[in-house]
Amino acid sequence: MKFTLSWLKEHLDTTATLAEITEALTDLGLEVEEVRDPAAKLKAFTLARVLQAEQHPDADRLRVCRVLTDEGEKQIVCGAPNAREGITVVLAKPGDYVPGIDVTLGVGKIRGVESHGMMASERELELSDEHNGIIELPSGEVGQRFVDWLSENAPEKVDPMIHIKITPNRPDALGVHGIARDLAARGLGVLKPVKDVTVEGRFASPITVTIDPAIAGKAPYFAGRLIRGVRNGASPDWLQQRLRAIGLRPINTLVDITNLFTYDLNRPLHAFDMAKVSGNLHVRPAAAGEEILALDGKTYALPEGAMVIADVNGPESIAGIMGGEHSGCDDATTEVFLESAYWDPIAIATTGRALKINSDARYRFERGVDPAFTRPGLELATQMILDLCGGEPSEVVEAGAVPDTERAYRLDTARTASLVGLDIPADEQRATLTALGFRMDGDMAHVPSWRPDVLGEADLVEEIARIASLTKLQGQPLPRPRPGVPKPVLTPLQVREKAARRQAAALGYNECVTYSFIDRASAELFGGGADAVRVENPISSEMTHLRPDLLPGLLAAAARNQARGFSDLALFELGPVFAGGEPGEQATQISGLLVGNTAPRDPFGSRRKVDLYDAKADAEAVLATIGAPVKVQVNRKLDPWWHPGRAGNIALGPNVLATFGELHPRILRAMDVKGPAVAFTVKIANVPFPKVKTATRPALVISELQAVERDFAFVVDPQVEALTLVNAAAGADKALIDSVTVFDQFTGLEGGRKSIAITARLQPRDKTLTDAEIEAVSQKIIDKVQKATGGTLRA
């Protein structure tokens, strides 16, 4: 919405400055997008008088002028043909920036003669394209600011233009009068009332209007009148300047008047040239196959059922959106039918979107204009046409009735403080609503017809707070529910989620945030897709089911990245997964996906394909971060989307904490991901919480005695897992054995057997171990491993 300051002052009696007005507009919710102030770039220029103008000694087209300024007499070299003695000019001094030539002036020499500034033309000051000579002013005093002279003698040249952003719920602010009403309610002036005009018809209208009953709900009211004997042509300068200031092109007086009312009073109108219309006007739905050549020069195929205003020959206007080219007014128009109607916002929006037409009329009608102003707007526009174009008006013809928008809500003045935190006196609240056009009847506030957005008691409070200014709100600390140290804000599970997310990021993974909805085919790949998790009203065919796992979203992201040339990926996501549609069938997991290679190419050979051990190490790191026990089991009771021989579960008995490994090739093909691809999933809630909860960490226990490490190599059958051997060795002496790790594996021994080498770390607690004690523990390890695996110590 664009308007000028002088235009605003026709509706608002105010002495507020431009800065005060723009600040108030944004504070009122009418956010200022742009302010174009022509005076801002002219403030440095002053008026001067030429005392003498002589021929330049070395140039035929230059004059050396002696100019009287507010700083005394100055010498200025000028090439303008009208530079002569006695004229009042606009002076730019050294140091001034001249916008039209993008130059900051300095003292210069022109053909050997010093020049202390310049006398400006209109183009050099960006006032017009005129540059045949310097500006000659008919009045003004030496030293007077040029902007002050313009404000008194040509205010339209320094009239600021304000562009504000209108939210969809404020159609009343799509007219300058509505904006002035808000500013007046804020206290920046007094609102000037709209004139109450009734134009008497001098004859019965030969044109009648009917509304088809099929669309009576979409076109509830239509008013119009015939004006004959008009003289159309170029509109007055003041009207053209007003339209140009907001970026509109003047066309002719009749069209310019309708455009003026659209922006001035939020009352879109349309004028038909009745010499081009056959018969009466009929508001009806468009028939299949009908077309119209609109005023924008384009031919539109009308959707069946769209509202049109038609004569006997067919559609002449797309109702509420755009008129037709055929019946448009031009300079030859002498008989015009002026239309003022109210259209249903949803119907206008539906047709406008179908036709992809963006017009000022559609923009306003689909947000809701004032239905009660339909007839008054017609009367005011008729009077302006008579004043500017002459003519003789007919009586008003009407069809339908103005919709009843009467509604009232109770104003609870005490509720303002509880809803918005502002303590506003009750009398001030009532005065605010009255200033905005509400009619107060006791505690009942009757909503004006131009405010379709006010639909409840809370909206009354919003209006009061908006006018009072929410900038007056002061932050107040919330009282503590109980004395002492407050309880943690995050739950233990939320703390875990935060720690797991940070650990995954520290491991080099990039976080993804995908939808909780996936398509049925992807859900079925991961054990989902049942009707219990089907979305009743999905936003697309690819989001029909709640996800049973996080991996489908990560694999889809990987596929999109691979399609764009990114082959090495490390992605993770933390979020909910759904086993069913009930509240208890939701869990939080964190999943990571590695695709491609572990590192970029380098001369050290560090680049290799990702494998399941990368996923296992990352899963263990996340588990350690969230407090999982060190001693766990690994089993292979896997879900079908994992590779059966290259994946495993990290578990505590039947409680699965995490799964790691390669994804099944069938899954990768279905998700269009090129391998290798490994992943891990940690079930955060399955990790047991500590039984003893304290606010502090336990003390660090460090032994003063030196640890002892012993290496063992066992020959075992090929089916024996290293974990079985490690667990057996660790259980040989739980008091002394601190850890057991595998450091080597050799296959290809006789009979297909393999060798697994481990390191056992012995940590004494109370005394240094003797050789005999070390040998005793070593023998226990050998015996325990032989019993658990059937292996023998390698010679």
Side-chain angles (χ1 to χ4, degrees):
M1 175 64 190
K2 297 180 180 179
F3 57 95
T4 62
L5 183 60
S6 64
W7 194 347
L8 175 68
K9 289 184 176 181
E10 288 195 1
H11 295 274
L12 183 69
D13 187 1
T14 182
T15 57
T17 63
L18 177 64
E20 291 172 337
I21 289 173
T22 54
E23 182 180 356
L25 285 171
T26 297
D27 193 34
L28 288 165
L30 308 177
E31 183 180 350
V32 176
E33 290 268 286
E34 175 190 11
V35 176
R36 195 161 61 237
D37 186 5
K41 57 188 176 186
L42 302 176
K43 290 181 178 179
F45 306 118
T46 57
L47 271 55
R49 182 172 292 111
V50 179
L51 300 178
Q52 185 180 24
E54 296 180 347
Q55 185 69 38
H56 192 289
D58 293 328
D60 294 339
R61 296 187 179 182
L62 297 178
R63 287 181 173 83
V64 180
C65 301
R66 192 161 51 88
V67 180
L68 179 61
T69 74
D70 57 341
E71 298 176 353
E73 294 185 12
K74 301 288 184 181
Q75 178 175 277
I76 297 177
V77 178
C78 180
N82 63 330
R84 64 188 187 277
E85 180 180 332
I87 63 173
T88 300
V89 297
V90 179
L91 174 67
K93 302 174 184 178
D96 291 346
Y97 174 74
V98 184
I101 57 175
D102 192 24
V103 168
T104 299
L105 295 180
V107 177
K109 276 192 176 183
I110 303 177
R111 294 288 185 95
V113 178
E114 277 194 355
S115 182
H116 297 263
M118 67 177 287
M119 295 177 285
S121 68
E122 289 199 358
R123 189 174 72 172
E124 288 164 340
L125 300 186
E126 294 186 342
L127 294 175
S128 72
D129 292 331
E130 176 62 43
H131 64 286
N132 292 327
I134 58 177
I135 298 172
E136 294 184 40
L137 300 180
S139 60
E141 299 296 327
V142 172
Q144 181 182 3
R145 294 201 315 165
F146 182 45
V147 290
D148 296 336
W149 187 93
L150 287 173
S151 298
E152 296 173 4
N153 298 274
E156 70 280 354
K157 293 187 177 180
V158 287
D159 195 9
M161 188 281 295
I162 304 170
H163 180 196
I164 62 175
K165 182 191 295 183
I166 305 297
T167 54
N169 67 319
R170 290 297 309 279
D172 61 298
L174 290 172
V176 180
H177 186 76
I179 298 168
R181 183 187 297 110
D182 266 18
L183 291 171
R186 171 57 70 86
L188 264 67
V190 178
L191 181 67
K192 299 177 182 179
V194 177
K195 294 179 180 179
D196 185 8
V197 174
T198 301
V199 179
E200 293 291 335
R202 300 180 186 176
F203 60 93
S205 173
I207 305 299
T208 62
V209 177
T210 56
I211 299 176
D212 193 308
I215 58 169
K218 300 178 181 179
Y221 182 59
F222 186 106
R225 75 185 334 151
L226 181 71
I227 307 174
R228 62 192 183 192
V230 299
R231 297 180 303 279
N232 200 17
S235 57
D237 289 342
W238 67 267
L239 181 51
Q240 292 191 37
Q241 290 168 359
R242 183 157 295 177
L243 296 179
R244 287 195 184 99
I246 61 173
L248 295 181
R249 178 176 60 89
I251 298 174
N252 56 57
T253 304
L254 291 173
V255 175
D256 292 352
I257 288 173
T258 61
N259 287 334
L260 176 70
F261 271 76
T262 299
Y263 280 83
D264 190 51
L265 297 170
N266 192 26
R267 179 61 259 173
L269 305 166
H270 184 62
F272 296 88
D273 186 339
M274 292 311 296
K276 305 172 184 176
V277 176
S278 302
N280 296 316
L281 295 178
H282 185 44
V283 183
R284 62 170 176 80
E290 283 191 311
E291 294 183 341
I292 185 173
L293 175 62
L295 286 171
D296 60 359
K298 299 179 182 178
T299 299
Y300 294 95
L302 297 170
E304 187 174 359
M307 291 188 298
V308 296
I309 304 173
D311 63 3
V312 297
N313 295 325
E316 294 291 350
S317 172
I318 309 171
I321 297 177
M322 187 173 288
E325 178 75 25
H326 172 258
S327 58
C329 296
D330 53 30
D331 291 351
T333 300
T334 59
E335 196 172 54
V336 62
F337 186 85
L338 185 63
E339 165 231 322
S340 179
Y342 178 77
W343 312 103
D344 175 64
I346 295 177
I348 296 299
T350 301
T351 302
R353 291 173 185 174
L355 295 175
K356 298 180 181 178
I357 298 177
N358 294 311
S359 65
D360 290 331
R362 175 199 163 183
Y363 187 78
R364 284 160 173 78
F365 277 125
E366 71 181 3
R367 284 161 175 76
V369 301
D370 182 5
F373 192 65
T374 305
R375 175 69 182 268
L378 175 68
E379 299 284 2
L380 284 168
T382 300
Q383 186 62 59
M384 183 172 286
I385 290 174
L386 297 178
D387 293 341
L388 300 183
C389 301
E392 186 179 20
S394 74
E395 297 174 352
V396 175
V397 293
E398 296 178 288
V402 177
D404 182 14
T405 60
E406 176 61 28
R407 61 194 185 281
Y409 304 104
R410 180 177 174 272
L411 172 63
D412 183 358
T413 55
R415 197 179 181 195
T416 303
S418 64
L419 281 184
V420 295
L422 289 175
D423 188 11
I424 304 172
D427 291 343
E428 185 178 334
Q429 295 186 40
R430 296 174 185 275
T432 294
L433 292 179
T434 301
L436 289 173
F438 292 77
R439 179 171 59 85
M440 299 302 301
D441 183 7
D443 288 338
M444 300 302 294
H446 294 259
V447 183
S449 56
W450 57 80
R451 291 302 301 270
D453 58 306
V454 177
L455 298 172
E457 295 179 10
D459 290 336
L460 301 179
V461 175
E462 179 186 4
E463 290 301 298
I464 293 167
R466 183 174 64 86
I467 298 301
S469 179
L470 294 175
T471 59
K472 296 179 181 178
L473 282 172
Q474 295 182 354
Q476 298 290 337
L478 292 174
R480 290 187 176 181
R482 60 183 61 85
V485 178
K487 290 184 176 181
V489 175
L490 300 178
T491 66
L493 188 60
Q494 289 173 325
V495 172
R496 273 192 177 176
E497 292 173 7
K498 180 180 178 181
R501 180 180 280 111
R502 291 178 65 87
Q503 179 61 46
L507 291 169
Y509 288 79
N510 293 305
E511 184 172 10
C512 294
V513 180
T514 65
Y515 284 106
S516 295
F517 313 108
I518 60 176
D519 61 282
R520 182 171 193 147
S522 297
E524 289 175 343
L525 291 174
F526 291 84
D531 289 340
V533 291
R534 183 173 61 85
V535 181
E536 189 66 30
N537 187 23
I539 59 177
S540 76
S541 61
E542 297 178 352
M543 299 182 181
T544 57
H545 287 70
L546 292 171
R547 62 186 178 190
D549 200 278
L550 297 176
L551 290 175
L554 294 177
L555 289 168
R560 287 192 297 270
N561 278 274
Q562 285 184 334
R564 289 158 178 80
F566 298 96
S567 56
D568 298 336
L569 302 167
L571 308 175
F572 87 93
E573 181 172 10
L574 189 151
V577 296
F578 306 88
E582 299 302 320
E585 297 175 320
Q586 173 180 331
T588 300
Q589 296 180 356
I590 182 170
S591 292
L593 175 68
L594 294 171
V595 181
N597 297 280
T598 58
R601 289 184 292 181
D602 60 28
F604 310 109
S606 52
R607 181 179 175 89
R608 61 175 177 80
K609 301 290 185 182
V610 294
D611 57 33
L612 67 96
Y613 298 106
D614 295 313
K616 182 175 184 288
D618 293 340
E620 290 174 339
V622 173
L623 286 172
T625 300
I626 63 177
V630 176
K631 296 183 178 181
V632 293
Q633 299 86 44
V634 176
N635 64 57
R636 292 181 180 172
K637 298 177 181 179
L638 299 167
D639 292 314
W641 53 89
W642 296 99
H643 195 297
R646 300 176 185 175
N649 292 323
I650 300 175
L652 291 172
N655 181 24
V656 176
L657 306 183
T659 305
F660 67 89
E662 290 188 17
L663 292 166
H664 200 288
R666 169 179 56 86
I667 301 296
L668 298 182
R669 286 195 300 270
M671 301 297 292
D672 197 24
V673 174
K674 301 174 181 64
V678 297
F680 70 85
T681 294
V682 176
K683 301 178 180 180
I684 296 178
N686 287 10
V687 176
F689 287 95
K691 295 180 180 180
V692 179
K693 299 179 182 179
T694 62
T696 59
R697 294 180 180 178
L700 179 63
V701 178
I702 300 178
S703 176
E704 297 178 351
L705 303 175
Q706 183 176 352
V708 178
E709 292 185 351
R710 286 291 182 268
D711 296 340
F712 304 87
F714 294 94
V715 178
V716 295
D717 293 333
Q719 69 273 14
V720 174
E721 296 178 347
L723 181 63
T724 303
L725 191 151
V726 169
N727 289 340
D733 192 327
K734 295 181 179 180
L736 282 178
I737 299 175
D738 185 59
S739 65
V740 178
T741 56
V742 176
F743 69 86
D744 186 39
Q745 175 177 280
F746 180 75
T747 59
L749 297 178
E750 184 179 352
R753 307 188 82 191
K754 62 182 179 181
S755 171
I756 297 177
I758 61 173
T759 295
R761 179 183 176 87
L762 310 181
Q763 178 62 62
R765 304 297 177 186
D766 51 3
K767 64 175 183 176
T768 302
L769 296 176
T770 64
D771 289 343
E773 291 171 331
I774 295 173
E775 290 299 327
V777 173
S778 298
Q779 189 59 48
K780 287 182 181 180
I781 292 174
I782 296 170
D783 295 341
K784 194 78 171 179
V785 171
Q786 288 178 341
K787 183 178 180 181
T789 66
T792 59
L793 193 65
R794 186 176 179 185

